[in-house]
Amino acid sequence: MKKGIRYLRFSSDGQSLHSIERQDLITGQWMNNSGVEIVDTFIDEGHTARNFDRPDIKVLFEFIKKNHDQIDYLVVAELTRFSRIAGDAINMVTKIQALYDVRIVSASRGSIYDCMDHNSFFIMGLEFLMGNSENIKRQNDINAGIYTAKAVKGLWIQGGRAPFGYKKEGKNEARRLVVNESEAIVVRYIYDAYIAGVALYKIKEKAIEMGLKRTATTAVERILTNPLYYGFQQVKAWKQNPGGLFPLKNHEPIIEATTWKLVNEKIKRGNKERKIYDDLIPLRGALRCHCGKLLTGAASKGKMGKYYYYYKCSIASAHNNISAKKAHKQLSGALELMSLPEKLISSIKEKSEIEMEITLKEHKTLLKQRQIEYEQVGEKLMSIEEKWITNRIQHDTYERWHNELTIKKESLKEQIDKLRHNGDKTFLLLRDQLFYLSDLNYVYTEANTIEKQELIKMVFDDFLYYENGIYRTPYIMEPFIRNELKMREMGYLDYTKKRGNFSIIPSSGPGEIRTL
């Protein structure tokens, strides 16, 4: 009695699990009808036929090598189950027959192929080639469908879970992403923090604390580089059709286009500085030496085992090496003197509210204008699409105008959204937050390290220096300049509008300032 082994396979491209049952039935019937005993069955589930890097087919080859004297046939339902790459498949089948005298069988065709017979070899090669051709056609159909759905129709067709910040809604062509507002807050924080210069590891820590559920090493980087958050998706080129970023339709962005582009330009430039935050020396990375270099910070162990913290310049030993205790005390004194009296805050609020009313009126006028422009661009887009469909313009002309008009439309939409919402947000911020200006030192003290650095950079425009035992700066936000003379007299802060040339003077002497 002849003996044979079976090989069954289904791929991972959505093929039904019942494919294995069908193959089992076809191969089993042929072997039963032909009087061939089934020695063993090898099954690869969810593996492509484009190569032989499959677990069970490797075991099958080893089995044939060791037991070929007891095997007459290798039986498959169709040759495409064995492989879809004609050249590789023919070479492998020829090798198995030449070395081990085992022939391959296509059970659905009822054909036993003999690689040593030219007619049988030709028919076998033809079946492999037909399967390969069908595979190429099917892949082309799939790629064409994906390109049309994403680039032309603007559909989101990805499987799996929705990107963080969104949830899935609808089915088939009605499927779309809907903003999950509780998660969107985290996404907006990630973008804002990155623009503000916060280190990625700190962004991730805070984002997880806020509810980020993705804990992969590059989770934050993926959110920052995903164009979906500003309403676009990456589409691969297909044949003569270009790839690139294409707009999603019926999709609400979480991030503004300008913000996304600003972030990704910053990512492309790269950032070699590694930021490390320490609550005991919060000015590290925000305070500069008189030479312009950002000061680092470290602890020094005293004779009694107690640690003392210092800010120091990494360029030269003759530059700053400042007691953090003194530096913090001086900054607190300066912030107290920079705080605004209630009368001045009330005056600022009244003037700001008047200006805000004028601005809001201007915004309403501008909003109407932008809405008209938005509608006009939409009409031009429809016109260009109609001309392309009716073959009145070439594809490259369509592509150029379509891309330009799409970008302009998205820019106008972004401006409209800003004009609708930013005025209300600014007014609420003005109304609810101005009173904090009465105690800047409290605001600074209660903030975390990242917020402290952001406050310092904002108030001093990233130009806060330390020289000869005192803070120096060429810039302070205008409302906080009122006590500049007193701040200088108290030895807290020397404000000079034009910085000039701060000489590089070794910091040494009394007052807890020492050289390295």
Side-chain angles (χ1 to χ4, degrees):
M1 188 177 186
K2 298 285 186 179
K3 296 181 179 180
I5 55 175
R6 299 186 299 168
Y7 178 70
L8 318 178
R9 180 195 63 81
F10 78 90
S11 62
S12 57
D13 58 2
Q15 197 170 44
S16 170
L17 286 166
H18 297 298
S19 172
I20 291 293
E21 297 171 357
R22 183 185 63 81
Q23 293 174 56
D24 177 68
L25 177 64
I26 292 171
T27 53
Q29 283 180 342
W30 183 87
M31 297 179 86
N32 183 55
N33 295 336
S34 303
V36 176
E37 180 185 343
I38 300 174
V39 175
D40 208 341
T41 300
F42 300 86
I43 303 173
D44 273 318
E45 298 182 359
H47 290 277
T48 180
R50 295 189 182 92
N51 55 56
F52 289 111
D53 188 19
R54 293 168 251 156
D56 251 37
I57 205 165
K58 292 178 181 178
V59 177
L60 177 145
F61 291 152
E62 284 297 315
F63 187 85
I64 291 175
K65 184 177 179 180
K66 293 179 182 178
N67 305 285
H68 58 88
D69 56 337
Q70 302 175 33
I71 305 169
D72 298 290
Y73 304 117
L74 167 58
V75 184
V76 292
E78 302 94 11
L79 292 188
T80 53
R81 295 301 92 200
F82 183 72
S83 175
R84 288 190 180 277
I85 307 301
D88 294 345
I90 290 170
N91 289 336
M92 183 61 74
V93 170
T94 302
K95 180 180 177 181
I96 290 172
Q97 182 174 338
L99 291 177
Y100 309 118
D101 196 28
V102 175
R103 297 183 184 183
I104 195 164
V105 176
S106 177
S108 62
R109 292 178 177 269
S111 300
I112 303 172
Y113 291 113
D114 183 354
C115 297
M116 306 307 165
D117 179 83
H118 68 282
N119 287 322
S120 181
F121 182 85
F122 176 79
I123 299 299
M124 178 188 71
L126 190 61
E127 185 178 342
F128 272 124
L129 285 170
M130 287 175 64
N132 198 17
S133 175
E134 290 171 1
N135 185 49
I136 292 171
K137 182 180 181 301
R138 184 173 63 254
Q139 194 60 51
N140 275 333
D141 290 343
I142 291 171
N143 289 337
I146 291 172
Y147 188 89
T148 301
K150 296 176 76 173
V152 180
K153 296 182 179 179
L155 301 177
W156 183 78
I157 59 173
Q158 259 71 350
R161 62 182 177 178
F164 185 80
Y166 289 97
K167 54 187 176 183
K168 292 187 287 187
E169 186 178 90
K171 295 181 179 179
N172 301 323
E173 289 204 4
R175 181 169 59 173
R176 67 190 188 101
L177 295 173
V178 179
V179 174
N180 180 334
E181 193 53 44
S182 62
E183 293 182 353
I185 291 170
V186 183
V187 174
R188 294 187 190 103
Y189 161 76
I190 289 171
Y191 275 82
D192 291 342
Y194 186 80
I195 289 174
V198 180
L200 284 172
Y201 82 96
K202 273 292 182 183
I203 295 175
K204 187 176 181 181
E205 285 178 7
K206 181 65 176 178
I208 290 174
E209 183 184 318
M210 293 173 68
L212 178 63
K213 299 172 184 175
R214 315 293 161 90
T215 56
T217 306
T218 58
V220 169
E221 290 92 327
R222 287 178 183 176
I223 289 174
L224 288 170
T225 55
N226 190 343
L228 182 140
Y229 290 109
Y230 87 101
F232 280 71
Q233 62 180 330
Q234 186 72 41
V235 181
K236 290 182 180 179
W238 178 70
K239 293 190 174 180
Q240 78 277 14
N241 300 293
L245 293 176
F246 287 79
L248 281 157
K249 294 181 180 177
N250 300 319
H251 178 82
E252 183 183 349
I254 293 175
I255 301 300
E256 295 173 351
T258 49
T259 301
W260 189 89
K261 290 171 184 175
L262 179 65
V263 163
N264 281 267
E265 281 298 320
K266 187 176 178 181
I267 290 171
K268 284 180 184 178
R269 290 196 301 269
N271 184 12
K272 296 180 181 178
E273 292 185 7
R274 174 172 168 76
K275 292 187 177 181
I276 301 174
Y277 299 96
D278 189 331
D279 293 339
L280 294 171
I281 39 177
L283 295 175
R284 177 171 62 183
L287 177 61
R288 296 180 182 274
C289 176
H290 53 266
C291 67
K293 183 77 174 177
L294 286 169
L295 295 179
T296 62
S300 177
K301 192 174 184 179
K303 293 181 180 180
M304 303 300 292
K306 185 178 178 181
Y307 283 93
Y308 299 89
Y309 287 85
Y310 292 86
Y311 293 107
K312 58 184 179 180
C313 179
S314 60
I315 289 183
S317 59
H319 290 196
N320 280 302
N321 195 4
I322 317 153
S323 163
K325 182 179 179 181
K326 178 184 178 181
H328 297 163
K329 185 176 180 181
Q330 287 174 296
L331 183 60
S332 293
L335 291 173
E336 285 179 3
L337 290 173
M338 289 165 64
S339 299
L340 306 182
E342 290 185 10
K343 286 184 178 180
L344 182 56
I345 293 174
S346 298
S347 176
I348 292 172
K349 188 175 180 181
E350 288 174 8
K351 291 177 181 178
S352 298
E353 286 175 351
I354 293 170
E355 290 181 7
M356 182 63 64
E357 287 180 8
I358 296 170
T359 303
L360 287 175
K361 287 179 182 178
E362 292 174 350
H363 279 190
K364 286 180 181 179
T365 303
L366 193 56
L367 176 60
K368 288 180 181 179
Q369 184 181 333
R370 293 291 178 265
Q371 286 172 330
I372 292 169
E373 291 175 11
Y374 181 81
E375 291 173 3
Q376 289 172 343
V377 172
E379 289 171 1
K380 288 180 181 179
L381 263 174
M382 290 178 66
S383 175
I384 203 77
E385 288 173 359
E386 182 183 348
K387 288 177 181 178
W388 181 52
I389 292 169
T390 55
N391 294 320
R392 283 186 283 167
I393 57 172
Q394 296 295 322
H395 183 269
D396 57 346
T397 303
Y398 163 78
E399 181 187 332
R400 183 178 68 255
W401 281 104
H402 187 275
N403 287 343
E404 288 181 8
L405 289 170
T406 299
I407 292 169
K408 188 173 182 180
K409 187 178 179 182
E410 289 301 316
S411 175
L412 287 168
K413 184 177 184 298
E414 181 183 328
Q415 292 177 52
I416 289 168
D417 289 340
K418 281 184 177 180
L419 290 168
R420 280 175 175 166
H421 304 299
N422 281 5
D424 294 337
K425 289 180 180 178
T426 306
F427 183 80
L428 290 172
L429 186 66
L430 176 70
R431 187 190 67 189
D432 298 336
Q433 307 296 324
L434 264 179
F435 74 92
Y436 284 116
L437 299 180
S438 64
D439 194 346
L440 275 182
N441 188 45
Y442 173 80
V443 173
Y444 178 83
T445 304
E446 292 299 308
N448 60 41
T449 299
I450 295 172
E451 292 166 342
K452 285 176 180 176
Q453 292 197 4
E454 288 178 356
L455 178 63
I456 294 299
K457 289 177 181 179
M458 179 178 66
V459 171
F460 301 105
D461 196 26
D462 205 16
F463 289 112
L464 185 62
Y465 296 82
Y466 203 93
E467 181 185 19
N468 285 348
I470 190 171
Y471 286 100
R472 298 178 187 271
T473 185
Y475 174 86
I476 301 177
M477 289 181 75
E478 191 172 345
F480 307 122
I481 299 174
R482 48 191 296 276
N483 283 322
E484 58 174 302
L485 293 177
K486 194 169 184 179
M487 285 189 285
R488 187 181 298 117
E489 290 172 3
M490 298 291 291
Y492 298 149
L493 175 68
D494 184 358
Y495 166 62
T496 308
K497 286 185 179 180
K498 291 185 179 180
R499 181 185 169 221
N501 295 318
F502 286 159
S503 57
I504 301 175
I505 302 171
S507 299
S508 58
E512 295 187 272
I513 302 174
R514 62 187 178 89
T515 56
L516 288 172

